[in-house]
Amino acid sequence: MKRKGILIVFSGDGKGKTSAAIGIAVRMVAQKKKVAYCTFFKQKSCSELKVLKKLTDCKVFTFCEKYPSFSAGLTKKKFKDLFKKEWSKFLAKFYSFEKYHLLVIDELLIAVRDGLIKDTEIISLFEKVRKNNPGMHLLLTGRGMTDSIINYADVVTDMRCIKHPYPRIGAIKGIDL
């Protein structure tokens, strides 16, 4: 009997959400499984994406690379329009992900938090995954976990920030960038 895919969520205000997702992606590749690693609100030049792109069985896709707090001159209105276009691109590409064993959607929960998409859209997305590729696992990260996502997911980890030096010090290469 084939095992069903699970929905994993890494959320919270602490560090480690993306790092944990990358760890699972690397484990999947080590098991000769294919990974589609999609990221929102991060630029293609991010350190973690550079490494993931070198893995043969991991394909990296970036969507909506800009975010208002990191992009000068990007108003909320322009950002919402940009996100809508990028979300449409993601959805158009979505069915091509069926050949993968793991679909990571890094930072997507920020879009839920910011009211750009509803949590029901994510749940609907996973229901489509379960219908079309019942063995595929889906992993979501970002700040914006909701009760509906918690109830629907199979694994939920809340990364809690206990202590952090920001904004006192800036991002550290190799740790944050």
Side-chain angles (χ1 to χ4, degrees):
M1 186 169 133
K2 216 174 186 185
R3 182 176 286 202
K4 283 194 327 185
I6 62 171
L7 173 58
I8 303 166
V9 178
F10 295 139
S11 192
D13 65 354
K15 291 186 63 56
K17 297 175 287 292
T18 296
S19 298
I22 290 168
I24 289 177
V26 168
R27 283 184 187 143
M28 290 292 274
V29 170
Q31 294 296 322
K32 306 215 182 310
K33 306 284 186 186
K34 293 185 182 302
V35 175
Y37 194 98
C38 302
T39 186
F40 281 81
F41 316 124
K42 291 182 178 178
Q43 294 186 348
K44 289 177 182 150
S45 60
C46 282
S47 299
E48 65 262 25
L49 300 183
K50 288 178 187 176
V51 171
L52 289 173
K53 287 176 185 176
K54 292 180 181 181
L55 300 175
T56 305
D57 287 329
C58 183
K59 299 296 176 223
V60 176
F61 306 89
T62 55
F63 300 93
C64 202
E65 292 181 54
K66 296 184 178 192
Y67 190 77
S69 59
F70 303 118
S71 304
L74 184 62
T75 65
K76 285 188 178 187
K77 165 91 173 86
K78 285 181 186 176
F79 174 62
K80 283 183 178 185
D81 292 342
L82 173 64
F83 180 80
K84 280 182 186 176
K85 287 178 191 167
E86 293 293 307
W87 182 245
S88 292
K89 285 181 191 176
F90 170 80
L91 292 175
K93 194 156 202 50
F94 176 72
Y95 288 103
S96 72
F97 298 137
E98 289 181 6
K99 63 186 174 196
Y100 296 94
H101 299 96
L102 172 67
L103 171 58
V104 176
I105 313 176
D106 189 28
E107 302 295 1
L108 182 62
L109 293 175
I110 290 173
V112 174
R113 180 198 67 191
D114 292 354
L116 300 168
I117 59 172
K118 294 183 185 309
D119 58 3
T120 53
E121 287 183 72
I122 292 172
I123 292 168
S124 173
L125 190 71
F126 191 59
E127 287 174 349
K128 288 176 186 171
V129 167
R130 282 197 165 145
K131 180 181 176 195
N132 297 317
N133 185 355
M136 179 192 270
H137 306 290
L138 180 63
L139 194 160
L140 304 172
T141 73
R143 299 171 188 205
M145 184 168 47
T146 65
D147 288 340
S148 295
I149 291 172
I150 291 169
N151 292 330
Y152 191 82
D154 300 292
V155 176
V156 178
T157 301
D158 184 13
M159 310 280 190
R160 207 167 50 106
C161 182
I162 294 172
K163 186 176 183 181
H164 205 290
Y166 297 134
R168 194 176 74 245
I169 64 169
I172 301 167
K173 287 184 179 180
I175 304 270
D176 304 299
L177 303 171

